[in-house]
Amino acid sequence: MPLVKIDSQEVEIGKNETVFNAAKRVGIDIPFYCYHPGLKIVASCRMCLVDMVGAPKLVPACSTTVPELPEAKKIEGKFDAVIFTDNEKVKTARRAVLEFLLLNHPIDCPICDKAGECKLQDYSFEHGNDASRFVEIKRVPQKKDLGPSIFLYTSRCIMCSRCVRFTEEISGTEELKVTYRGWHAEIDVAPEKPLNNKMMGNVVDLCPVGCLIDKHERFEGRVWNFVHTDSICPGCSKGCNTTLDTMKHQKLNLEELVDQVYRIRPRENMTVNQWWICDDGRYHLETDKKKTRIMVPHVKQGSKLAEVSWAEALSVSLQKIKAVSTKEVALIGSPYASNEENYLLGKLARLLGTGLDVSKPIYGDTQTFKTDKNPYPFTIESEKAPNYRGAKTTLSLTDSQLDKTIADKKVVIMLGSHNVELKSKPETLIVIGSFEDAVTAQADVLLPAALFTETSGTYTNKDGAVQKFNRAINALGESKAIWQILVELASGLGQSWYYENVGDVAKEMIENVNAYKTLELDKLYPQFSTLNEQMVV
């Protein structure tokens, strides 16, 4: 294996490994714009130029590999290459590249949504000149509307072509092109073909400057005010890893802006979603905003549901449950609830001796994005729920037999309804859910549940991967995490449960569910949010 000296560090480099990756392995950051590990290397931006001893000119680190030299030709007696990433030749080249990129750039950072996470801004500060020599009038091409979700601010573009390569190599939809050449080169959509596919939001993440802007996020917040929370997309059974961006709690008259998620971005996980998410997941919360959220407990009074306190709603629920035999009660888990929530529901059902089942998820279309250039096809799964496999595992069920389970029951408690069709309504239907729908309209008691952004837990995806998601914002209205509601119901039914936080539930679940006994608790739950989720029963 070739031995390379990068600056002062010695590193063995793989046969086809690039200098860029070898440097990264030993902690040397080389600036770049056009490079992305999921896209074809084009080495066009020239920002990653490094000085390789013996080479006639600077070479791009992102595309340069190092062959093993014969013993007689090794440099300093043992190296196959000696590379400098930060000497004066390299620094001069970087300054020149940045000066070129800024020739026509509007430098409108104060109004650019990318400011604060812009590579042009960062590298200009770290590697650029402290003044511009350009005194001519700048070229100002017009902003373009590329499709339903994306604006292109043409004047900010540095022609890295990441967005074009994404539509060619990953989505395979080929809407984006480079038109014209040289000074006049611009990104544009193909004639009669707007940027409109279910992966299009990824081009905004790929853009290293503020050229591509998501219409859903434009002018919504400054990135330095954001807090980033690791999460899992609940849109389908794929379980894509995501990051939720929310507003910091701070004394800047921004308190009214907290407790909402401003954007959802992909988080790299090579075994699940690589670097991408689909737009169904990216705009999942936009879809939720069109639904009516259940903010407070309700109890049916006459023919209508009326708002009541938590104490009254729980009291009515307990009265209904205690008024019948436990054999006449059924508890129904949910493919949309976490493993921990379904586990507690199953535990309560077994302790009381009630019926137990799980509702089926909603199914939709499957869509796979695959091209000859993409070794990792991306599939949007047809099962539109994040945790059907996990719910069945924690409840020890093989499949849903909902209608059969509730057919002879007088009291049914459901975790979420999600428009499940009930062929017959029980005497008392208690729904623990987040949104109004056809089943909540039939409910006798409604208990408002927190969304996945408002609580913590784990989902098990279609391949059996157990992945954690963390609370990003406080629960809206009087909503509570489902596991907390179940603990309160269990307490009213004579069960002495005590969990300080959802991590305690997870620990017990791992001990008692055979399929999860091999999970490593410390790795799975190192950063569970517990604020406002602690409770004593």
Side-chain angles (χ1 to χ4, degrees), residues 191-436:
E192 307 296 327
K193 195 173 182 181
L195 181 59
N196 188 10
N197 64 73
K198 284 199 171 184
M199 298 287 282
M200 62 183 167
N202 291 290
V203 299
V204 176
D205 305 320
L206 284 169
C207 183
V209 296
C211 176
L212 291 163
I213 297 295
D214 192 322
K215 295 177 183 178
H216 302 264
E217 302 163 1
R218 192 170 63 140
F219 306 142
E220 287 294 315
R222 309 304 290 181
V223 298
W224 50 82
N225 289 324
F226 285 163
V227 177
H228 314 297
T229 304
D230 290 350
S231 188
I232 301 297
C233 177
C236 75
S237 58
K238 187 177 183 69
C240 290
N241 290 215
T242 60
T243 297
L244 307 179
D245 289 341
T246 56
M247 197 70 76
K248 287 179 185 173
H249 289 260
Q250 53 185 318
K251 295 178 180 178
L252 289 173
N253 297 322
L254 297 175
E255 291 305 311
E256 71 276 13
L257 301 178
V258 301
D259 290 338
Q260 57 178 304
V261 176
Y262 285 84
R263 63 179 181 179
I264 299 177
R265 295 178 293 133
R267 185 162 49 90
E268 181 182 334
N269 185 324
M270 290 305 295
T271 60
V272 179
N273 56 294
Q274 297 90 47
W275 303 270
W276 328 116
I277 57 172
C278 71
D279 286 1
D280 289 346
R282 186 181 299 272
Y283 305 127
H284 181 83
L285 296 178
E286 297 288 325
T287 305
D288 283 352
K289 288 177 182 176
K290 298 173 183 174
K291 304 174 185 175
T292 302
R293 180 80 185 264
I294 303 168
M295 303 289 277
V296 297
H298 290 71
V299 170
K300 184 163 281 186
Q301 295 176 356
S303 59
K304 295 184 178 179
L305 286 165
E307 295 183 4
V308 297
S309 66
W310 265 105
E312 184 175 349
L314 288 171
S315 175
V316 171
S317 300
L318 293 170
Q319 287 175 20
K320 297 290 186 183
I321 296 169
K322 292 176 179 177
V324 299
S325 161
T326 54
K327 300 294 183 186
E328 297 173 310
V329 178
L331 276 59
I332 309 300
S334 170
Y336 302 89
S338 71
N339 287 319
E340 291 76 9
E341 292 162 345
N342 279 299
Y343 166 75
L344 284 187
L345 186 89
K347 178 181 176 180
L348 183 61
R350 293 187 180 93
L351 286 172
L352 298 177
T354 69
L356 178 64
D357 211 324
V358 60
S359 60
K360 282 185 177 292
I362 295 171
Y363 288 91
D365 295 332
T366 299
Q367 188 171 3
T368 299
F369 294 88
K370 182 180 180 181
T371 71
D372 293 339
K373 301 172 183 174
N374 178 16
Y376 309 107
F378 188 98
T379 298
I380 303 171
E381 301 295 337
S382 61
E383 189 176 285
K384 304 302 181 185
N387 199 38
Y388 191 39
R389 178 166 177 167
K392 290 187 292 184
T393 301
T394 52
L395 296 173
S396 299
L397 298 170
T398 55
D399 204 353
S400 172
Q401 298 183 346
L402 186 60
D403 293 326
K404 183 179 178 182
T405 302
I406 68 173
D408 57 348
K409 306 302 181 189
K410 292 183 177 178
V411 177
V412 172
I413 303 173
M414 296 186 70
L415 297 191
S417 54
H418 305 284
N419 282 318
V420 173
E421 292 290 337
L422 294 182
K423 292 182 178 178
S424 61
K425 179 188 174 303
E427 285 183 14
T428 301
L429 176 61
I430 301 170
V431 177
I432 304 173
S434 303
F435 297 103
E436 293 183 4

Side-chain angles (χ1 to χ4, degrees), residues 40 92 158 184 211 220 290 336 401 451 529:
K40 182 179 67 177
T92 301
I158 60 170
H184 297 285
C211 176
E220 287 294 315
K290 298 173 183 174
Y336 302 89
Q401 298 183 346
L451 293 178
S529 304

Side-chain angles (χ1 to χ4, degrees), residues 20 28-35 45-50 60-62 85-86 90-91 94-95 97-98 119 122-124 126-127 162:
F20 181 91
I28 298 173
D29 288 327
I30 299 174
F32 63 94
Y33 286 118
C34 65
Y35 172 77
C45 74
R46 319 309 283 178
M47 194 62 196
C48 68
L49 291 177
V50 294
C62 69
T85 69
D86 203 34
V90 173
K91 289 178 180 177
R94 286 177 188 162
R95 283 196 296 271
V97 169
L98 286 166
K119 289 294 184 185
D122 293 345
Y123 291 160
S124 293
E126 295 171 17
H127 307 288
R162 280 179 166 195

